[in-house]
Amino acid sequence: MPIDAIRLVSAATVPWRRLRTALVCALIVTLPLTLVWDSVWPLWSTAALLATAGTLAFSLLERWPRRLPPWVARWALQVAGVALAMPLTTLAIYLLRTPVDAPPFWTDAERRSGFFLLCFFGTLVAPWLALSALVRQKDALARTQALAFELERSELARQALDARLHLMQAQVAPHFLFNTLANVQALVDTGSPQAPALLRSLTAYLRAAVPRLHDAAGASSGTLGQELELVRAYLELMRMRMPDRLAFTLRSDAALLDMCCPALILLTLVENAVRHGIDPAEEGGRIDVSVCRRGDNCVATVRDTGVGMGTGSGTGLATLRERLALHFGGRAQLRLYAVTPHGVCAEIEFSVGA
């Protein structure tokens, strides 16, 4: 619930909670008096009126007057007002309940005694109840402020995370687009007859890639199936560029295809395998992409038979590690292994329930 809504609900329910608490306390305090009072209902009705008057005085002085002299504390004014309301309200009740033709109540010893008893108990108990209400009010205010601070902190943290994810997404998109266009340019410059087919493959690749690159929610709403389609389009494109030097396979557990994953995580690994593994290798190599389940985790593996580790991987892997940390919050791992006799195996493992 938004913090403004919490404050509105609290402001609407506080007066009724105060009155209910005051009525219950008045009932408890007057219980001993029932032993000496002639009739219980007039006593309880008087106590209920005193409780209502004390609650009204407490709530009225909470907001009025709006400005107080510096030497007057608001809480002291409320407590004094509640204490003063007890004898004044008792006096008003006794005056109103005295018939017009009857003698004043103070001439009746029994009624006079009842008046002073009610004044004594009211003046003795009501200020303490007011102080208790002030303490509870202060605690509630502290809790509300703490909740507001926590909500504000969470909102700022979420906004910062979104901003970082969008920045990472913006960094990734040009990275892939410019690398791919550079590969196409290389073929065009050499006058390769594969150029038309390559352009068709590039179109298919961009058709699959651009929606994910420009989707602001792509970092969290993509699926492994979409990621594999993008990887297939990219590898088809690369195989046309170097038909005699690249082979690839894609394998996936069908049950994992609908699983959500950050955009371009597999493509980052595949692009690195091509750029830093297959491209530098004179004889080329193959890339095997697989997605499987290992216990409660999903494992995505990209294995290449290129030149192996140590040729540098650019900023792609560093960016990918940060994106995984932001998306999965430490529940994902990126591991790199050397493949014998040569090549690299990159493995991402993350929780299926993340």
Side-chain angles (χ1 to χ4, degrees):
M1 179 182 295
I3 190 61
D4 290 341
I6 293 174
R7 286 171 176 163
L8 286 175
V9 172
S10 178
T13 57
V14 161
W16 294 109
R17 290 207 306 266
R18 287 176 179 172
L19 180 59
R20 182 186 60 193
T21 303
L23 290 173
V24 172
C25 292
L27 176 63
I28 295 174
V29 170
T30 53
L31 279 178
L33 297 180
T34 59
L35 300 176
V36 296
W37 220 264
D38 290 339
S39 179
V40 172
W41 291 111
L43 172 63
W44 280 353
S45 64
T46 302
L49 290 174
L50 288 173
T52 303
T55 303
L56 288 175
F58 184 89
S59 300
L60 180 64
L61 294 175
E62 186 178 33
R63 300 180 180 275
W64 185 87
R66 300 183 64 178
R67 293 178 180 270
L68 289 176
W71 49 272
V72 177
R74 176 71 65 181
W75 69 268
L77 181 64
Q78 289 180 265
V79 173
V82 171
L84 184 61
M86 294 299 103
L88 293 179
T89 305
T90 306
L91 176 62
I93 293 173
Y94 270 77
L95 289 176
L96 293 174
R97 285 182 176 176
T98 302
V100 178
D101 54 348
F105 72 87
W106 55 82
T107 59
D108 185 330
E110 185 177 352
R111 297 192 69 197
R112 184 173 65 247
S113 175
F115 170 79
F116 284 114
L117 275 175
L118 288 175
C119 287
F120 174 77
F121 276 95
T123 308
L124 180 66
V125 175
W128 288 104
L129 292 177
L131 283 173
S132 175
L134 287 170
V135 171
R136 292 198 303 272
Q137 186 178 3
K138 186 177 180 180
D139 289 343
L141 179 61
R143 289 195 298 271
T144 301
Q145 290 177 339
L147 177 61
F149 175 77
E150 182 63 25
L151 288 175
E152 185 178 2
R153 190 190 65 81
S154 300
E155 179 64 18
L156 290 176
R158 187 191 64 79
Q159 291 177 1
L161 180 60
D162 288 346
R164 294 188 67 186
L165 283 173
H166 292 163
L167 177 60
M168 305 286 293
Q169 194 78 1
Q171 291 173 344
V172 168
H175 177 71
F176 283 108
L177 286 177
F178 290 139
N179 283 349
T180 305
L181 287 174
N183 292 330
V184 174
Q185 184 65 48
L187 275 184
V188 172
D189 289 344
T190 59
S192 171
Q194 297 292 328
L198 181 60
L199 287 176
R200 286 194 294 272
S201 296
L202 176 60
T203 301
Y205 167 73
L206 292 177
R207 186 176 292 116
V210 169
R212 302 209 69 193
L213 297 177
H214 293 279
D215 183 2
S220 58
S221 62
T223 64
L224 276 173
Q226 293 172 327
E227 190 73 9
L228 286 171
E229 290 179 6
L230 185 60
V231 167
R232 182 185 298 279
Y234 176 79
L235 286 175
E236 291 285 357
L237 185 64
M238 293 300 103
R239 185 163 60 179
M240 294 200 66
R241 184 172 67 85
M242 41 187 174
D244 299 330
R245 299 177 57 239
L246 174 63
F248 70 87
T249 62
L250 276 76
R251 293 183 292 109
S252 174
D253 185 341
L256 298 174
L257 294 179
D258 293 332
M259 182 179 175
C260 292
C261 71
L264 310 180
I265 59 172
L266 275 180
L267 188 59
T268 299
L269 299 181
V270 173
E271 196 270 351
N272 272 338
V274 172
R275 183 180 177 85
H276 303 291
I278 305 301
D279 259 350
E282 184 177 351
E283 68 279 13
R286 61 179 296 111
I287 296 176
D288 298 311
V289 181
S290 65
V291 177
C292 63
R293 183 160 184 157
R294 183 183 297 166
D296 293 332
N297 293 337
C298 175
V299 180
T301 304
V302 177
R303 181 189 298 266
D304 71 78
T305 59
V307 297
M309 303 179 71
T311 60
S313 58
T315 60
L317 291 180
T319 302
L320 178 57
R321 289 183 192 278
E322 191 168 354
R323 293 181 63 217
L324 290 173
L326 289 173
H327 187 88
F328 293 103
R331 298 186 301 278
Q333 293 183 335
L334 170 60
R335 297 182 287 265
L336 297 178
Y337 303 104
V339 174
T340 304
H342 48 78
V344 174
C345 176
E347 188 176 84
I348 298 176
E349 182 171 357
F350 52 93
S351 173
V352 173

